[in-house]
Amino acid sequence: MANIWNDKWTIDSLCANCKIREIKLEHFQGLSSTKRIILRRNLIRTISDIYFRGLPELQFLDLSKNGISEFDMAIIPANSKVRLISLTYNLIHSFKNSHRGEQKRLRILNLRRNFIEQIDDGVFSNFPNLRQL
């Protein structure tokens, strides 16, 4: 895949409906000032915790309408500025939090239209400012 992240969508890393199947770490290199990443309507199945570590300014993450089946809040670094995560219309059945630090800025976590069967105990305890689920 060509580095579309730096060529076309540097403003807000918009890549909706691009048929992306896999996110690779190099896709986010050079985007440290990015505030919004929109990856809705793709074919993403898994998300790793290493992808968003180099994005200290990230505030909005939209992974809606993909094929994600499990989600761990540890993908967002504890000291990040992320305020909103949208995971609507995925296939999420398991939701966990292996986070080790507080994520004070997250306010909205949208999980509508998933198939959640299991949420680990205390999964939201590290998110004191979470206002909307």
Side-chain angles (χ1 to χ4, degrees):
M1 170 168 54
N3 196 345
I4 58 175
W5 308 92
N6 288 327
D7 297 341
K8 286 180 157 180
W9 290 283
T10 53
I11 295 172
D12 279 322
S13 295
L14 170 65
C15 197
N17 207 19
C18 292
K19 298 183 175 133
I20 295 172
R21 293 181 182 276
E22 181 181 8
I23 299 174
K24 296 180 182 176
L25 184 58
E26 59 264 20
H27 291 157
F28 297 110
Q29 289 178 346
L31 297 177
S32 61
S33 63
T34 298
K35 293 184 178 182
R36 292 186 292 172
I37 293 181
I38 301 167
L39 292 170
R40 94 175 56 105
R41 289 190 184 115
N42 280 288
L43 305 170
I44 300 166
R45 302 268 183 244
T46 59
I47 303 289
S48 172
D49 65 337
I50 61 171
Y51 300 135
F52 304 106
R53 287 185 191 163
L55 301 169
E57 300 300 317
L58 186 64
Q59 295 178 21
F60 177 87
L61 177 61
D62 185 351
L63 295 166
S64 301
K65 296 185 179 182
N66 279 284
I68 300 166
S69 60
E70 294 182 354
F71 193 82
D72 188 337
M73 290 300 293
I75 72 157
I76 307 299
N79 59 351
S80 81
K81 295 180 180 179
V82 174
R83 294 172 186 247
L84 186 146
I85 300 173
S86 181
L87 294 164
T88 61
Y89 293 94
N90 272 288
L91 305 171
I92 297 173
H93 60 83
S94 175
F95 196 84
K96 44 184 134 170
N97 182 7
S98 58
H99 236 286
R100 291 191 170 77
E102 263 193 353
Q103 173 42 281
K104 294 181 180 181
R105 295 195 172 137
L106 184 65
R107 297 193 184 277
I108 299 171
L109 176 62
N110 195 340
L111 296 169
R112 283 184 294 162
R113 305 290 183 181
N114 278 284
F115 302 98
I116 298 173
E117 298 171 354
Q118 176 185 342
I119 296 178
D120 290 352
D121 289 340
V123 75
F124 303 113
S125 61
N126 294 355
F127 305 95
N129 294 314
L130 187 62
R131 300 291 179 248
Q132 185 176 340
L133 189 57

